[in-house]
Amino acid sequence: MNVIVREATLDDAQLIADLTRTAWAGKVAVSSSGHRETAVRVLQDLQHGGGFILLREETPIGSVRWAPVETEPDVWEIMRMGVLPDYRGEHLSQHLLEAVIHRALASDVTELRLGVRADQTRLLDLYAALGFELAPELEYTHTNPLEPAPSVMRRILRY
């Protein structure tokens, strides 16, 4: 099957909001703000950072976003990665994460960070396999105050 990752445009805001809500349904705790994702929020993320859309045979099946940390513009946080339920189990999210890594390297970003929800600890191994390490000294800037703080992982980018 043909899998492609393409850069998201501002016109993709509604698509990404829909993909996020669908990918997270039944998989992530209902208290997560991802279940209430809006095109307005996505548009803000895309304008401040960027995003990618994962396609299989031209059908959008997943997405991811990133944005620079406000106080550290050479550090990006990866947010809202998800793949639709029918396409899980094939390690397709790896394509999204690798796309962000390559974009960060091309943009002289020194570090990538992501938050792993307390109810999604199985993802720690996936991210570790891609060079991310636990960073308990860091706080995730997009933490939902109504939920347990996520585990922060980082990947230092070396040239």
Side-chain angles (χ1 to χ4, degrees):
M1 292 258 178
N2 189 18
V3 176
I4 296 172
V5 176
R6 74 162 173 83
E7 187 161 0
T9 68
L10 299 180
D11 292 337
D12 291 318
Q14 186 63 56
L15 170 63
I16 293 172
D18 295 342
L19 284 168
T20 301
R21 288 191 313 274
T22 303
W24 288 30
K27 194 72 172 170
V28 178
V30 295
S31 57
S32 170
S33 59
H35 295 294
R36 295 176 300 284
E37 191 68 273
T38 66
V40 171
R41 165 68 194 272
V42 174
L43 187 59
Q44 291 170 344
D45 288 345
L46 293 175
Q47 289 171 329
H48 187 61
F52 287 110
I53 297 174
L54 179 68
L55 302 118
R56 175 174 266 174
E57 303 299 330
E58 300 183 25
T59 301
I61 63 168
S63 65
V64 67
R65 282 173 270 163
W66 72 85
V69 173
E70 189 173 317
T71 58
E72 300 175 86
D74 62 336
V75 176
W76 288 357
E77 281 188 338
I78 300 170
M79 308 170 289
R80 303 279 207 234
M81 185 164 62
V83 173
L84 297 179
D86 290 347
Y87 301 92
R88 291 191 186 130
E90 301 176 50
H91 306 288
L92 295 174
S93 60
Q94 181 175 334
H95 295 287
L96 290 167
L97 201 50
E98 288 174 351
V100 175
I101 292 167
H102 289 294
R103 172 58 55 83
L105 287 168
S107 301
D108 293 328
V109 169
T110 61
E111 182 178 321
L112 291 171
R113 296 178 186 167
L114 51 81
V116 179
R117 296 176 48 86
D119 59 352
Q120 298 286 313
T121 56
R122 63 180 177 68
L123 296 175
L124 294 171
D125 289 338
L126 165 71
Y127 299 137
L130 292 168
F132 287 81
E133 298 177 344
L134 281 171
E137 71 280 10
L138 296 175
E139 290 185 26
Y140 191 63
T141 63
H142 300 285
T143 298
N144 182 339
L146 304 175
E147 298 184 347
S151 298
V152 176
M153 296 186 81
R154 69 168 19 142
R155 178 172 169 173
I156 304 296
L157 302 175
R158 295 186 174 88
Y159 303 101

